[in-house]
Amino acid sequence: AQSVTQLDSHVSVSEGTPVLLRCNYSSSYSPSLFWYVQHPNKGLQLLLKYTSAATLVKGINGFEAEFKKSETSFHLTKPSAHMSDAAEYFCVVSDLENAGNMLTFGGGTRLMVKP
Amino acid sequence: EAQVTQNPRYLITVTGKKLTVTCSQNMNHEYMSWYRQDPGLGLRQIYYSMNVEVTDKGDVPEGYKVSRKEKRNFPLILESPSPNQTSLYFCASSFEGRSNQPQHFGDGTRLSIL
């Protein structure tokens, strides 16, 4: 069975400072991992994905994440936060074990950016 | 523009009154899925469809029905809604039902069952 834990339900940073959103996963197989962002009243938008290629994955809007198998982590980072980054972020794991019922979502991390 | 379209976006209704939430995608995707989002729980899958006429239960299927008569449409049916189905619902699609393919999400439907 697969599972995802987002270690912080809320993160608050000041504009221009680094962002770190933490995610740990468990999976019986070689997983695919995703980060999605959800702005208010919007659906989920893909930020980046890891699918067994390079362990450092670059996404949109300056975000990146590093897959660390030994730590079963896939933390999301950004060097400098912008006000428009305020949103909810979801870490998602997917593996082959459950064909069709593929995605397991973390509980979400709400990012707040202070001026 | 490639998109997943859900209707309605908002609905307030009463217990027991049948309702349907429509979902349509214009990307010729084979795989479609419905999720509900509740605070602190992330998204949980209700039903999914690997292709036309092929549907299966997700993690929380009780109280819901789906159908996939056409590739582009995947309606979610609540035959007798109850207050515990008050939630934010998302439809999603991907080219195939493979674990390494990201899903495209609609903008959501907020249902309130009184």
Side-chain angles (χ1 to χ4, degrees):
Chain A
Q2 58 191 23
S3 66
V4 180
T5 302
Q6 291 184 241
L7 298 163
D8 307 291
S9 59
H10 293 82
V11 170
S12 181
V13 301
S14 296
E15 191 173 21
T17 65
V19 175
L20 170 64
L21 304 183
R22 299 182 294 165
C23 172
N24 286 114
Y25 71 92
S26 69
S27 174
S28 303
Y29 295 81
S30 294
S32 295
L33 292 156
F34 306 87
W35 275 99
Y36 284 87
V37 60
Q38 184 182 28
H39 291 279
N41 299 315
K42 286 292 187 182
L44 281 73
Q45 179 187 15
L46 181 70
L47 274 180
L48 50 81
K49 68 174 184 177
Y50 166 79
T51 56
S52 76
T55 57
L56 183 62
V57 182
K58 293 188 185 301
I60 62 172
N61 301 334
F63 284 95
E64 62 181 39
E66 186 171 9
F67 174 70
K68 292 186 176 180
K69 188 174 182 179
S70 61
E71 299 176 9
T72 60
S73 69
F74 190 57
H75 301 334
L76 182 70
T77 61
K78 183 174 181 177
S80 176
H82 192 273
M83 295 297 291
S84 61
D85 294 328
E88 186 149 24
Y89 292 79
F90 292 95
C91 182
V92 183
V93 65
S94 176
D95 67 27
L96 296 173
E97 184 178 30
N98 301 307
N101 184 7
M102 297 176 301
L103 302 186
T104 298
F105 286 76
T109 298
R110 185 165 296 280
L111 176 65
M112 293 166 282
V113 182
K114 298 174 289 188
Chain B
E1 180 188 350
Q3 58 186 5
V4 178
T5 303
Q6 297 178 227
N7 280 296
R9 292 291 314 278
Y10 304 91
L11 179 63
I12 301 174
T13 188
V14 296
T15 300
K17 186 176 181 182
K18 181 180 178 180
L19 67 91
T20 299
V21 184
T22 64
C23 173
S24 180
Q25 51 92 4
N26 63 359
M27 295 167 279
N28 202 35
H29 284 170
E30 290 186 353
Y31 179 90
M32 297 186 74
S33 183
W34 275 103
Y35 299 88
R36 60 177 289 173
Q37 182 181 14
D38 301 291
L41 298 178
L43 275 72
R44 293 176 293 167
Q45 191 179 51
I46 302 170
Y47 270 94
Y48 65 91
S49 170
M50 298 290 278
N51 213 327
V52 175
E53 301 292 1
V54 180
T55 63
D56 210 342
K57 296 177 181 178
D59 296 317
V60 289
E62 293 79 19
Y64 304 94
K65 286 176 55 177
V66 293
S67 68
R68 187 91 182 272
K69 295 185 171 57
E70 309 164 278
K71 198 171 190 177
R72 63 181 292 129
N73 295 323
F74 191 45
L76 179 70
I77 303 157
L78 286 71
E79 294 269 4
S80 182
S82 62
N84 65 11
Q85 293 177 297
T86 292
S87 189
L88 179 58
Y89 291 84
F90 288 99
C91 181
S93 71
S94 63
F95 183 63
E96 294 176 314
R98 293 184 183 274
S99 62
N100 62 353
Q101 292 190 355
Q103 295 188 15
H104 300 258
F105 287 83
D107 283 344
T109 295
R110 189 169 290 281
L111 286 184
S112 294
I113 316 293
L114 304 178

